[in-house]
Amino acid sequence: MSGSDQGRSSDVLDVDERARFEQLVLPHLDAAFNLARWLLRSREDSEDVAQEAVLRAYRFFRGFHGGDARAWLLQIVRNTCYTWLEKNRPVEHMTEFDEELHPQPSLSPESLAIAGDNRERLSRALETLPPRFREVLVLRELEGCSYKEIAAITAIPIGTVMSALARARQRLQRALTQPPVQEAPREL
Amino acid sequence: MSCDYTRAALHGYLDGELDASRSAEFERHLVGCRECSKELETEKALRAGLQRSGLYEHPPLSLRKKIRAELDAATAAPAARKIPVWQWLAAAAAILVVAAISWYAWPLRNAIGGAAPPPFTAAELIDAHIRSLQPGHLTDVASTDQHAVKPWFSGKLDFAPPVKDFAEDGFPLVGGRLDVLGGRNVAVLVYGRRKHYINVFVLPTKEPDTPIHPPGLRQGYQWLHWRHQGMEYCAVSDVSVADLHELAQLIYQ
């Protein structure tokens, strides 16, 4: 058993590195799972993908030279998610950034507050957004990431994080105010 | 009708990402622009909805276990290399020295009151913490009001844990619950820190006061343990040690 490991011993981390990984990276497992959950829209698949991403992070750990461990891990989680989507749900993965900016329906903060307090409705609205919009919202509103971190995780230039968020929020508002039936065509 | 600001600076302002001068500029603009004021209110309502609705999803306990097992498999065992004879001798000598010192130091240690270990194990502590993070297990009484949480414990425990809210210091009280640690009922105070939770386990003790001990680490969670005025405390979380220490000091005071 020990003999078979010798060939790749250079990739295998030792006990000290393992301890460092536990201290720096593993505390962000919740963040990893939450991001995967919203990108894949499934708890079950997210468990597999989060696990794969953490192990991948472990293998790459020698390449991590300090800094923001959460952003570093989430970047790997995001890549793992998109690779998984490409393989398992190719149609969904093709949905691209929708650059259009429609004038919004006039919406009062009160009506939005009511719609926004309904967990089911919010969750469904968020899930109807294309993944690229969904991820910036999840990172900003649920994970509390800064623009700099969002840029690092999603590989979009920091100058465009603000406009990506603006578009994502507009899309979410629209999804919240439209009748749920039209917004959920994939529920068959 | 359309306002240039609405689609640009407003979001940076909302997210606290504008520099001081642009932020001030936007605030001046806001005074005279109804469209932007309304849009800002709408965005704030949306954000509040997103953050209040409990959309953050936590992984099941089993995932952490699975990952640890995989990490074990991917970690090299400490190498069983050949050790030269002189190192064996040096090690043996070192053991003798330590044994001798402990032998003489033992009564002294007792005399100055070397702190007794906590009446529970690290594994029990971390398991209790992880269990609390599973859906619906965090609090039995969810309240940010210390005057609501404290009386809740009375009648359920044979001691009264000190309950304080530290919202102003960045550690809002989230609630309390009963838990079992080392085979006995304990009080748990739950504090929030950004998106994370800190469990503070409290139980009575007859041991003397101790300072806050150096942090312990296991499975990516850290804890701090101390005794103060007849109570034993253990704060556990995945927040940084600095944050955990800050809360421990607030409680200690």
Side-chain angles (χ1 to χ4, degrees):
Chain A
M1 199 173 85
S2 58
S4 64
D5 283 338
Q6 279 176 356
R8 54 189 177 92
S9 63
S10 60
D11 313 330
V12 177
L13 276 71
D14 63 28
V15 182
D16 289 347
E17 288 165 314
R18 161 74 182 270
R20 215 177 130 243
F21 185 81
E22 289 229 359
Q23 191 169 6
L24 292 175
V25 181
L26 232 46
H28 304 298
L29 178 61
D30 281 22
F33 179 81
N34 183 53
L35 178 62
R37 151 70 185 86
W38 285 105
L39 277 177
L40 308 180
R41 299 188 293 194
S42 146
R43 279 186 71 89
E44 222 175 14
D45 293 334
S46 305
E47 279 189 48
D48 296 342
V49 172
Q51 181 176 352
E52 190 189 329
V54 171
L55 290 175
R56 200 182 280 189
Y58 192 55
R59 283 198 296 275
F60 295 156
F61 190 51
R62 285 213 181 109
F64 174 68
H65 302 295
D68 188 341
R70 181 178 65 166
W72 181 76
L73 176 65
L74 290 183
Q75 199 183 341
I76 297 171
V77 170
R78 178 182 178 273
N79 290 341
T80 313
C81 283
Y82 280 116
T83 310
W84 188 94
L85 283 172
E86 213 171 322
K87 209 188 318 175
N88 296 283
R89 296 188 213 146
V91 178
E92 192 173 319
H93 181 252
M94 290 305 291
T95 323
E96 253 317 305
F97 243 145
D98 178 0
E99 295 291 334
E100 63 183 333
L101 270 179
H102 294 301
Q104 280 175 220
S106 171
L107 199 62
S108 76
E110 295 76 25
S111 68
L112 196 70
I114 292 161
D117 263 348
N118 184 327
R119 186 186 187 280
E120 280 305 301
R121 209 165 148 191
L122 254 180
S123 165
R124 220 180 309 123
L126 196 54
E127 290 193 337
T128 59
L129 301 192
R132 316 257 169 189
F133 287 124
R134 220 182 302 143
E135 68 186 1
V136 288
L137 281 174
V138 167
L139 290 173
R140 176 64 220 167
E141 305 294 14
L142 301 187
E143 201 53 57
C145 289
S146 67
Y147 285 9
K148 194 176 154 209
E149 288 170 313
I150 295 175
I153 295 164
T154 61
I156 59 180
I158 186 156
T160 56
V161 172
M162 190 158 81
S163 59
L165 269 166
R167 283 199 299 275
R169 284 172 174 145
Q170 194 187 333
R171 290 282 291 248
L172 183 64
Q173 284 188 32
R174 218 189 304 159
L176 271 174
T177 46
Q178 273 168 14
V181 190
Q182 288 178 8
E183 276 292 321
R186 53 177 200 91
E187 279 183 333
L188 293 173
Chain B
M1 171 88 184
S2 153
C3 173
D4 285 348
Y5 268 110
T6 308
R7 289 185 187 123
L10 189 142
H11 291 271
Y13 180 78
L14 178 74
D15 293 323
E17 293 268 353
L18 295 187
D19 60 41
S21 70
R22 284 189 72 196
S23 184
E25 192 188 342
F26 179 75
E27 280 171 1
R28 277 197 300 278
H29 166 81
L30 208 54
V31 175
C33 179
R34 281 181 57 98
E35 193 190 346
C36 282
S37 306
K38 186 177 159 232
E39 175 67 15
L40 188 63
E41 285 314 304
T42 308
E43 294 295 355
K44 279 184 181 168
L46 184 65
R47 154 168 297 173
L50 279 170
Q51 295 184 342
R52 256 202 320 261
S53 302
L55 292 173
Y56 201 105
E57 297 217 13
H58 296 274
L61 180 57
S62 57
L63 180 64
R64 208 171 275 273
K65 284 192 175 153
K66 260 190 267 173
I67 287 175
R68 285 181 60 79
E70 294 263 13
L71 291 184
D72 284 342
T75 306
R81 60 198 172 85
K82 273 201 164 177
I83 299 166
V85 175
W86 65 268
Q87 281 192 3
W88 278 114
L89 289 175
I95 289 167
L96 276 176
V97 169
V98 170
I101 290 171
S102 332
W103 178 262
Y104 288 110
W106 183 251
L108 179 71
R109 227 184 115 243
N110 276 353
I112 59 169
F120 45 83
T121 66
E124 287 172 329
L125 182 73
I126 298 304
D127 283 352
H129 176 72
I130 293 172
R131 205 182 317 118
S132 78
L133 298 178
Q134 304 209 320
H137 286 258
L138 191 61
T139 55
D140 294 330
V141 51
S143 171
T144 55
D145 181 2
Q146 62 199 50
H147 304 297
V149 175
K150 195 171 168 62
W152 182 85
F153 281 114
S154 62
K156 298 182 182 69
L157 291 167
D158 55 359
F159 62 98
V163 181
K164 270 189 210 151
D165 179 30
F166 299 108
E168 283 177 11
D169 303 286
F171 297 93
L173 181 67
V174 178
R177 73 166 185 283
L178 295 179
D179 213 319
V180 176
L181 211 51
R184 66 158 299 164
N185 290 329
V186 302
V188 187
L189 305 175
V190 184
Y191 291 92
R193 180 63 166 178
R194 298 187 194 99
K195 308 282 173 189
H196 300 263
Y197 292 112
I198 302 169
N199 273 306
V200 181
F201 296 84
V202 187
L203 58 157
T205 181
K206 291 195 170 66
E207 300 290 334
D209 286 7
T210 71
I212 300 166
H213 292 122
L217 172 74
R218 191 188 175 103
Q219 292 171 241
Y221 293 104
Q222 335 217 40
W223 71 86
L224 290 172
H225 172 258
W226 70 96
R227 295 192 181 100
H228 190 54
Q229 296 179 343
M231 291 288 171
E232 180 130 21
Y233 295 84
C234 205
V236 193
S237 185
D238 58 350
V239 300
S240 70
V241 175
D243 282 356
L244 203 55
H245 208 266
E246 201 182 325
L247 177 64
Q249 278 176 325
L250 287 167
I251 297 172
Y252 201 98
Q253 278 162 13

